[in-house]
Amino acid sequence: MKRLFLIFSLSQLLFLSPMQAQRADYRIVPLPMNVETDSAHTFTLRPEVGIAYSEGCEREARFLQEWVKQATGIQLRLAPNDSRAAIRLMLKTGDTPAEAYSISVGKKGVELEATERVGLFRAAQTLRKSLPCGPTDHIDLPYTHIDDQPRFAYRGVLLDCARHYFPVSMIKRMLDVMALHGCNQFHWHLTDDQGWRFEVKALPRLAPYGSVREQTVIGPNAGIYDGQRYGGYYTQEECRDLVRYAAERHINIIPEIDLPGHMQGALHVFPNLGCTGGPYPVRTMWGVSREVLCGGNPETLDFLRTVLGEVCDVFPSPYIHIGGDECPKDRWRKCPKCQAKIQELGIQDDGRHSPEDQLQSYINREVEDFLSERGRSLIGWDEILAGGLSGNSIVMSWRGTKGGIEAARQGHRVIMSPNVFAYIDHPQLKDVAKQPRTIGGYIVSASKIYSFEPLIPDSLSQEEQRHILGPQANLWTEYIAYPEHAFYQLLPRLAAMSEVQWCRPEQKDFDDFKARLPRLEKVYDLMGLPYCHAVE
Ligand code: TNX
């Protein structure tokens, strides 16, 4: 009897009692530019309410429908032409930037407005993040007017899929996570010493063989190996599928082919492209390899043109990343072909740039010409400054902000990704015992990231600051082999980075950010994402 009674009251609680009304809260992450809320009045959202949308915006409407369902269980209805629908995603004319949007909540419901679909997508994300999470049958939305647009046009995240291979399904989740945080550039590190992961059809042996290493060092290069063969690469069809998936979420994919260093994966398959002729095993430990592409062999440029030609076919990105980092010149200094090329080009030691650095600049210029013929801009790590650089190249500053400052002064466009603020392969908590083992070294806590100011006003004039496209967080994966670990490294630090990317300095306040974070973490929970629960 008692048991029956208990079951009865439980079912009452679960199914029969009216559900609590839940209230929206527009103070989300990243914080919108301008939010004016009248808490005394609310509009109530109920199931079966319609979502109207301008022609061509069905996808944005569907995303919103899906997110409301995911957060609250409320099923909204798509009602394209219903001008009285309670939610309206409307394109308007005007000259506001593509990503700018407004949201108005009032008596007649919720109006989302932008000049482009991308703006409506951002608006829908904001509305989504404002909703309470948990099953309910109605939500109270306080009257509000929100005006928002990002501070930086470039808001990037790098994932290294060369040191470890991550499945396409994981990359799609990552793109979802980026979109949730308002990021719009996915920098995909596809090739490195430890594996070549991009299919090149004209070179059919490259990816199948260049992607496989015999084993992997355990821990920080202590000389102990796991004895497990490791590999994996992305077919062009998979890459195109990801490009499409990203574009639906208003994200551009920037592929990186790291050259002329970090090339041992390719050298394994084409030892003729190295200065010594090899053999070159796909590298089984981390760190920087002395084995790089030969700078004097004409086949090197043929190889790069073949590879980059297919990269351009697969990826519509306006930017192509060519790496350029950590290219030791030991081999080039002793290589007859490299030295002959230096002679041929008439390169002199000019006191500032070594001949070998200038040889790398020559390769960069050839590659830049090739890319610009295809309408693409070259991005390279800050080392590409070393031998002189042509004006159209974009510099990604990773060894602190020094390279970025110098590049901006020279008039180059710059992406700021300084290791001490933006390298989320490093630990996020002071107590290393509380988190999975990572690359170690310095700590990149959420508050450290949050404190980053990408325009470096102490060093750059306002004119020079205009060259800074935006900041980027980098997730290198020497020590990160599984998606769960990758998301733990990413979250919630990407949330901190998202306010660096999106918000104006006067809006930023770390304590306030921390107070807003738990509601974003509820969305992580809904999406089944692992994340670090402590925030320092
Ligand atoms: C430096 S950032 C690298 C990467 C490593 C990373 C580890 C850059 C251009 N080169 O190859 O994975 O440090 O933090």
Tab-separated table of all heavy atoms in Angstrom, residues 482-503:
chain	number	residue	atom	x	y	z
A	482	TYR	N	42.297	11.881	-27.161
A	482	TYR	CA	40.878	11.515	-27.226
A	482	TYR	C	39.992	12.759	-27.213
A	482	TYR	O	40.327	13.760	-26.576
A	482	TYR	CB	40.511	10.606	-26.037
A	482	TYR	CG	41.328	9.353	-26.059
A	482	TYR	CD1	42.436	9.214	-25.216
A	482	TYR	CD2	41.044	8.337	-26.974
A	482	TYR	CE1	43.235	8.074	-25.274
A	482	TYR	CE2	41.830	7.205	-27.039
A	482	TYR	CZ	42.918	7.075	-26.193
A	482	TYR	OH	43.710	5.962	-26.278
A	483	PRO	N	38.844	12.666	-27.901
A	483	PRO	CA	37.931	13.817	-27.942
A	483	PRO	C	37.552	14.322	-26.550
A	483	PRO	O	37.520	15.541	-26.338
A	483	PRO	CB	36.700	13.252	-28.669
A	483	PRO	CG	37.228	12.176	-29.545
A	483	PRO	CD	38.379	11.562	-28.782
A	484	GLU	N	37.305	13.436	-25.603
A	484	GLU	CA	36.888	13.877	-24.263
A	484	GLU	C	37.943	14.799	-23.661
A	484	GLU	O	37.630	15.813	-23.056
A	484	GLU	CB	36.680	12.683	-23.307
A	484	GLU	CG	35.472	11.847	-23.597
A	484	GLU	CD	35.631	10.980	-24.850
A	484	GLU	OE1	36.766	10.828	-25.353
A	484	GLU	OE2	34.602	10.482	-25.334
A	485	HIS	N	39.204	14.397	-23.833
A	485	HIS	CA	40.288	15.213	-23.291
A	485	HIS	C	40.371	16.554	-24.036
A	485	HIS	O	40.581	17.597	-23.430
A	485	HIS	CB	41.606	14.447	-23.367
A	485	HIS	CG	42.738	15.134	-22.665
A	485	HIS	ND1	44.021	14.665	-22.678
A	485	HIS	CD2	42.785	16.289	-21.947
A	485	HIS	CE1	44.807	15.498	-22.000
A	485	HIS	NE2	44.083	16.494	-21.545
A	486	ALA	N	40.169	16.496	-25.349
A	486	ALA	CA	40.229	17.735	-26.141
A	486	ALA	C	39.164	18.722	-25.653
A	486	ALA	O	39.442	19.910	-25.459
A	486	ALA	CB	40.040	17.427	-27.621
A	487	PHE	N	37.942	18.236	-25.429
A	487	PHE	CA	36.881	19.147	-24.975
A	487	PHE	C	37.164	19.664	-23.566
A	487	PHE	O	36.862	20.807	-23.249
A	487	PHE	CB	35.504	18.472	-25.061
A	487	PHE	CG	35.018	18.360	-26.479
A	487	PHE	CD1	34.814	17.128	-27.065
A	487	PHE	CD2	34.808	19.505	-27.243
A	487	PHE	CE1	34.397	17.020	-28.386
A	487	PHE	CE2	34.388	19.414	-28.564
A	487	PHE	CZ	34.186	18.168	-29.134
A	488	TYR	N	37.754	18.812	-22.740
A	488	TYR	CA	38.119	19.256	-21.395
A	488	TYR	C	39.147	20.393	-21.465
A	488	TYR	O	39.079	21.364	-20.703
A	488	TYR	CB	38.679	18.063	-20.607
A	488	TYR	CG	39.236	18.444	-19.270
A	488	TYR	CD1	38.428	18.444	-18.133
A	488	TYR	CD2	40.569	18.835	-19.130
A	488	TYR	CE1	38.947	18.817	-16.897
A	488	TYR	CE2	41.091	19.215	-17.914
A	488	TYR	CZ	40.272	19.203	-16.803
A	488	TYR	OH	40.773	19.584	-15.592
A	489	GLN	N	40.078	20.295	-22.410
A	489	GLN	CA	41.074	21.364	-22.564
A	489	GLN	C	40.422	22.653	-23.082
A	489	GLN	O	40.812	23.754	-22.719
A	489	GLN	CB	42.152	20.933	-23.568
A	489	GLN	CG	43.055	19.823	-23.129
A	489	GLN	CD	43.921	20.201	-21.949
A	489	GLN	OE1	43.853	19.565	-20.893
A	489	GLN	NE2	44.730	21.231	-22.091
A	490	LEU	N	39.430	22.451	-23.946
A	490	LEU	CA	38.797	23.578	-24.643
A	490	LEU	C	37.828	24.342	-23.737
A	490	LEU	O	37.695	25.569	-23.835
A	490	LEU	CB	38.038	23.000	-25.838
A	490	LEU	CG	37.516	23.922	-26.911
A	490	LEU	CD1	38.664	24.620	-27.615
A	490	LEU	CD2	36.697	23.112	-27.935
A	491	LEU	N	37.141	23.600	-22.877
A	491	LEU	CA	36.043	24.192	-22.111
A	491	LEU	C	36.342	24.198	-20.618
A	491	LEU	O	36.808	23.188	-20.113
A	491	LEU	CB	34.754	23.414	-22.377
A	491	LEU	CG	34.347	23.345	-23.849
A	491	LEU	CD1	33.166	22.405	-24.041
A	491	LEU	CD2	34.024	24.741	-24.380
A	492	PRO	N	36.081	25.265	-19.937
A	492	PRO	CA	35.417	26.460	-20.454
A	492	PRO	C	36.385	27.553	-20.936
A	492	PRO	O	35.986	28.711	-21.039
A	492	PRO	CB	34.651	26.951	-19.231
A	492	PRO	CG	35.566	26.625	-18.083
A	492	PRO	CD	36.284	25.350	-18.477
A	493	ARG	N	37.641	27.196	-21.238
A	493	ARG	CA	38.560	28.272	-21.613
A	493	ARG	C	38.157	28.969	-22.910
A	493	ARG	O	38.451	30.146	-23.093
A	493	ARG	CB	39.999	27.741	-21.697
A	493	ARG	CG	40.596	27.542	-20.310
A	493	ARG	CD	42.045	27.172	-20.371
A	493	ARG	NE	42.252	25.825	-20.883
A	493	ARG	CZ	43.437	25.251	-20.966
A	493	ARG	NH1	44.527	25.905	-20.590
A	493	ARG	NH2	43.557	24.024	-21.427
A	494	LEU	N	37.480	28.227	-23.803
A	494	LEU	CA	37.016	28.898	-25.015
A	494	LEU	C	35.994	29.983	-24.667
A	494	LEU	O	35.890	30.994	-25.370
A	494	LEU	CB	36.411	27.883	-26.000
A	494	LEU	CG	35.997	28.466	-27.344
A	494	LEU	CD1	37.170	29.127	-28.061
A	494	LEU	CD2	35.363	27.406	-28.237
A	495	ALA	N	35.244	29.759	-23.595
A	495	ALA	CA	34.278	30.775	-23.160
A	495	ALA	C	35.020	32.064	-22.790
A	495	ALA	O	34.599	33.172	-23.154
A	495	ALA	CB	33.464	30.259	-21.977
A	496	ALA	N	36.152	31.894	-22.065
A	496	ALA	CA	36.955	33.073	-21.704
A	496	ALA	C	37.491	33.730	-22.981
A	496	ALA	O	37.415	34.957	-23.149
A	496	ALA	CB	38.102	32.667	-20.785
A	497	MET	N	38.010	32.929	-23.902
A	497	MET	CA	38.531	33.481	-25.153
A	497	MET	C	37.417	34.158	-25.951
A	497	MET	O	37.642	35.175	-26.617
A	497	MET	CB	39.192	32.358	-25.969
A	497	MET	CG	39.737	32.800	-27.310
A	497	MET	SD	40.836	34.241	-27.263
A	497	MET	CE	42.449	33.474	-27.187
A	498	SER	N	36.202	33.603	-25.865
A	498	SER	CA	35.125	34.170	-26.680
A	498	SER	C	34.823	35.616	-26.271
A	498	SER	O	34.413	36.427	-27.098
A	498	SER	CB	33.864	33.307	-26.614
A	498	SER	OG	33.153	33.526	-25.412
A	499	GLU	N	35.047	35.946	-24.987
A	499	GLU	CA	34.819	37.345	-24.587
A	499	GLU	C	35.971	38.243	-25.043
A	499	GLU	O	35.773	39.428	-25.309
A	499	GLU	CB	34.556	37.453	-23.081
A	499	GLU	CG	33.284	36.691	-22.687
A	499	GLU	CD	32.364	37.381	-21.711
A	499	GLU	OE1	32.842	38.170	-20.884
A	499	GLU	OE2	31.137	37.108	-21.777
A	500	VAL	N	37.186	37.652	-25.161
A	500	VAL	CA	38.297	38.420	-25.738
A	500	VAL	C	37.988	38.710	-27.207
A	500	VAL	O	38.256	39.797	-27.717
A	500	VAL	CB	39.620	37.628	-25.623
A	500	VAL	CG1	40.778	38.401	-26.257
A	500	VAL	CG2	39.934	37.295	-24.166
A	501	GLN	N	37.401	37.736	-27.871
A	501	GLN	CA	37.120	37.875	-29.309
A	501	GLN	C	35.914	38.773	-29.577
A	501	GLN	O	35.861	39.476	-30.570
A	501	GLN	CB	36.858	36.480	-29.916
A	501	GLN	CG	38.081	35.574	-29.886
A	501	GLN	CD	37.802	34.171	-30.406
A	501	GLN	OE1	36.677	33.673	-30.302
A	501	GLN	NE2	38.815	33.516	-30.933
A	502	TRP	N	34.922	38.696	-28.699
A	502	TRP	CA	33.629	39.324	-29.004
A	502	TRP	C	33.427	40.673	-28.314
A	502	TRP	O	32.858	41.602	-28.901
A	502	TRP	CB	32.498	38.361	-28.589
A	502	TRP	CG	31.169	38.783	-29.129
A	502	TRP	CD1	30.358	39.765	-28.607
A	502	TRP	CD2	30.517	38.293	-30.297
A	502	TRP	NE1	29.233	39.884	-29.384
A	502	TRP	CE2	29.297	38.994	-30.437
A	502	TRP	CE3	30.830	37.306	-31.240
A	502	TRP	CZ2	28.403	38.756	-31.473
A	502	TRP	CZ3	29.943	37.065	-32.269
A	502	TRP	CH2	28.746	37.790	-32.381
A	503	CYS	N	33.868	40.785	-27.066
A	503	CYS	CA	33.456	41.930	-26.237
A	503	CYS	C	34.470	43.073	-26.288
A	503	CYS	O	35.653	42.846	-26.516
A	503	CYS	CB	33.295	41.502	-24.783
A	503	CYS	SG	32.115	40.169	-24.562
